[in-house]
Amino acid sequence: GNKSINAKLVLLGDVGAGKSSLVLRFVKGQFVEFQESTIGAAFFSQTLAVNDATVKFEIWDTAGQERYHSLAPMYYRGAAAAIIVYDISNQASFERAKKWVQELQAQGNPNMVMALAGNKADLVDARKVTAEEAQVYAQENGLFFMETSAKTAANVNDIFFEIAKRLPRV
Ligand code: GDP
Ligand code: MG
């Protein structure tokens, strides 16, 4: 039969990497050039049907600012999945993403499905982080990797779909 799965998912990553934009694209199919920055965290839910299951994502979009860092465990604790987002045109955001991965590996649910999103893939001319180095990093650290664009919608549904496929079937 078709299983119904509730999955808490958290987005983590540097301010401006595009976390809120990815959620807006996934949940509402929209993009705005001047996305307001997130205060604290925002909650969304979206249902996705995969082959054998219907997954209801309970999505926590976090702020990313250092001053909210101490709140992050509230959002990633008990999470079934995380998307760690960086901006392919910003090397510092990639370094910040690695810090989040380390923190999740140390403090998060050991069975968490972790995705690394190299967002703003449309900004090819401004690229600072190659897909190859991100892929190698992801592979070495047990994440799966995709480059996404909240602006063009490239790989946005796909990354959530891939997470849904990887969630444990209870
Ligand atoms: P957050 O702080 O991680 O939530 O980032 P936001 O979603 O607020 O996005 C920060 C800025 O980057 C906004 O001006 C967005 O319009 C822009 N942005 C987000 N995703 C993309 C993308 O895929 N491509 C481009 N070109 N800009 C993006
Ligand atoms: Mg935001």
Side-chain angles (χ1 to χ4, degrees):
N2 201 307
K3 290 200 175 78
S4 185
I5 300 171
N6 282 353
K8 179 178 170 185
L9 180 149
V10 63
L11 285 104
L12 297 166
D14 210 354
V15 186
K19 299 176 296 298
S20 299
S21 297
L22 286 170
V23 176
L24 184 68
R25 173 60 80 187
F26 176 57
V27 173
K28 296 192 177 147
Q30 296 171 358
F31 176 76
V32 292
E33 290 286 346
F34 301 99
Q35 175 64 37
E36 279 173 42
S37 61
T38 311
I39 312 291
F43 178 79
F44 301 85
S45 89
Q46 176 71 314
T47 301
L48 197 62
V50 291
N51 290 340
D52 60 329
T54 301
V55 177
K56 184 181 178 199
F57 282 114
E58 295 153 2
I59 303 170
W60 285 100
D61 171 24
T62 66
Q65 275 99 336
E66 205 48 57
R67 68 172 176 280
Y68 296 119
H69 192 147
S70 62
L71 300 178
M74 283 202 318
Y75 302 108
Y76 66 67
R77 248 180 234 136
I83 304 179
I84 299 101
V85 184
Y86 68 93
D87 167 355
I88 69 150
S89 72
N90 180 332
Q91 181 70 40
S93 76
F94 184 53
E95 302 311 320
R96 187 79 192 90
K98 293 179 185 172
K99 297 278 183 211
W100 280 118
V101 172
Q102 281 174 8
E103 180 166 340
L104 290 178
Q105 285 169 340
Q107 319 277 349
N109 158 18
N111 303 318
M112 191 184 285
V113 176
M114 285 199 271
L116 180 65
N119 191 44
K120 309 196 188 183
D122 56 289
L123 299 181
V124 279
D125 295 338
R127 179 188 287 279
K128 296 284 170 5
V129 183
T130 66
E132 291 72 22
E133 72 173 304
Q135 177 62 60
V136 167
Y137 173 80
Q139 197 145 11
E140 285 173 355
N141 287 276
L143 295 83
F144 76 89
F145 167 65
M146 283 188 183
E147 287 195 343
T148 58
S149 171
K151 185 169 182 171
T152 68
N155 273 347
V156 177
N157 285 348
D158 311 68
I159 201 165
F160 285 92
F161 192 77
E162 195 57 39
I163 289 169
K165 285 199 297 187
R166 288 167 191 244
L167 288 170
R169 305 296 192 249
V170 194

